[in-house]
Amino acid sequence: MVANREQIARAAIRRLNADPVASMTQIAESAGVSRATLHRHFASREELMGELGRLSVASWRQVLDDAGVDEAVAEGSAAAITAALDALCHHWIRDVEEFGFALTETGAYGHDELLIAVEEQHAREHAFYAAAQHAGVVRGDMSAVWIAHAAFGLLVGLREALRRGDIAVRDGERLLRESFLRGCAA
Amino acid sequence: MVANREQIARAAIRRLNADPVASMTQIAESAGVSRATLHRHFASREELMGELGRLSVASWRQVLDDAGVDEAVAEGSAAAITAALDALCHHWIRDVEEFGFALTETGAYGHDELLIAVEEQHAREHAFYAAAQHAGVVRGDMSAVWIAHAAFGLLVGLREALRRGDIAVRDGERLLRESFLRGCAA
DNA sequence: ATCGTTTGAGACAGTCATGTATCAAATCGA
DNA sequence: TCGATTTGATACATGACTGTCTCAAACGAT
C-alpha cells in the first residue's frame, strides 16, 4: 500500500472528524499505513496537526473567497452583500463536511503563522457582517462579532446533525441558511 | 485549606470551562487541594467526570423544568409554548455560564444511567419543538431535531463569545433569543 | 494539651502515547 | 533480474498522566 503525504493528511482529517481524539496509531490505521510510515511523512503529531490546521484554514479562506465576501464589502450594496451571504451558506457545507473537527479543535493552533491566518479570516468575517449591517442586510442590534459567533455555532450544530445522521446533506444548506438568517420561529 | 466534595466539583467545572483538557493535578490546583485529596473525594478521573456529567445533566434538566417545557407540551397552546420558549432562553444562560464545557465534552458519558438521562432531555426538547411546530410557534419546514441542533449550536457560539469576552453576560439572553427565534437577517 | 482525623508532599508502579531506530520484506524502476 | 528505495513490524526510551500508598504535619474537637 502506497500513500503520499496528502492522501495521509486527508485520511487523518476524516478520522478526526469521526474521532477527535484519535491517536497516531489509530490515524495511521485509517490511512492504511503503519505508524512508522505516518511518522516518516509527519515527524511529530504536532507537525501533522499543524498541517491539518493549515489545510483547514485554507479551506475556510477558500469559502470566503468563493463567496466573494471581500468584493461584497468593497462594493457595499445590499444586493452584493445578500448574494455573498447566500454564497457563504452554500460554500460552508463543503467546509463543514470536510473540516468539521476543526470547529472545536482546541490544540491545533500553536503556530504563529497559523494563528495569524485564523485571525485574518475572523477579521474578514467581521468586516463582512459589519458591511452587511451598514447595508441593512443583517440586524444592527447585535454586534458583527456576535453574528460571526452565531454562524460558527450553527456550523457546529450542523456538524453534529450530520455526524449523527439527523439531517440529510442535501438539506444542510437550506437549514443553515434559514436558521442563520431568519431563525426558527414561525 | 478545607474543601468538601461539592466545592471541589464546582472548582473542577470552572477549570474545565477554561481548559477542557486539564489534568487531575491541574484540577486539584484549581480546587486549592492536593491531588491526593482530590483522589480521596473522587477515586478516579472517571468518577470525577461522571459526577460532573451528572451535575451538568441535572442542570440541563433544571433548565427544562424551570422553563416548564413539559407543561407547555401538555397544554399545547401557542401562548404556553411561546412563554416556555422565552423562559428557555432565559434559563439557558445560567447553564452555559456554569456548564459550558459539557456542550462539547466528548468523553464524560460512559455511564449507562447518564446516557439515559441525556437521551431523556433530548427527548423532552424534541417533544417540545414538535409541539411548538404543531402550535405554529416555530417553523414547520425544518425538523424538531434540527431545531434542537440549531439551539445547541447557538449555545456553543454563546459559550465561545462569553469565553472570549466578546459579549457581555447581560446581553447573552437577548442575543441568544433573537438569533434563535428570528435569525440574524434584518 | 491531647487525640483522632484530615491533608499535603512525595514516592512508586502501571499504562498509554509519542518519538526513534533497526532490519527484513516488499515495492519500484531500469 | 537487480539494485535502490520504501514500508511494516517491532523494540526501546521517554514523558505525562493516573492510581495507590506512606508518613509527618496540620487541623479540629474536647
Side-chain angles (χ1 to χ4, degrees), chain A residues 105-182:
Chain A
E105 177 56 44
T106 56
Y109 306 121
H111 302 68
D112 282 352
E113 69 174 35
L114 199 46
L115 286 171
I116 291 173
V118 167
E119 288 311 310
E120 188 185 304
Q121 310 320 308
H122 277 309
R124 289 172 77 191
E125 287 195 346
H126 297 163
F128 177 65
Y129 293 126
Q133 289 178 319
H134 196 249
V137 175
V138 301
R139 300 167 66 137
D141 60 341
M142 45 184 62
S143 70
V145 174
W146 163 255
I147 294 175
H149 279 299
F152 159 78
L154 286 170
L155 290 174
V156 173
L158 180 61
R159 178 191 71 184
E160 291 305 308
L162 289 172
R163 185 182 280 171
R164 294 173 63 115
D166 287 341
I167 63 170
V169 178
R170 69 175 176 279
D171 285 342
E173 182 180 336
R174 177 182 67 89
L175 291 174
L176 175 65
R177 176 184 294 110
E178 289 301 309
S179 304
F180 180 41
L181 299 184
R182 276 172 270 282

Side-chain angles (χ1 to χ4, degrees), chain A residues 106, chain B residues 9-22 27 30 45 49 52 56 59 93-105 155-156 158-164:
Chain A
T106 56
Chain B
R10 294 289 163 176
I13 291 167
R14 283 194 295 275
R15 177 64 194 241
L16 290 164
N17 275 337
D19 175 17
V21 291
I27 290 170
S30 296
R45 185 183 184 93
M49 300 310 283
L52 300 190
S56 167
S59 178
I93 298 291
R94 190 189 67 230
D95 191 43
V96 168
E97 272 197 281
E98 191 158 9
F99 290 99
F101 84 97
L103 285 170
T104 44
E105 175 58 43
L155 291 174
V156 173
L158 180 61
R159 179 192 71 185
E160 291 304 310
L162 289 172
R163 186 182 280 169
R164 294 172 64 115

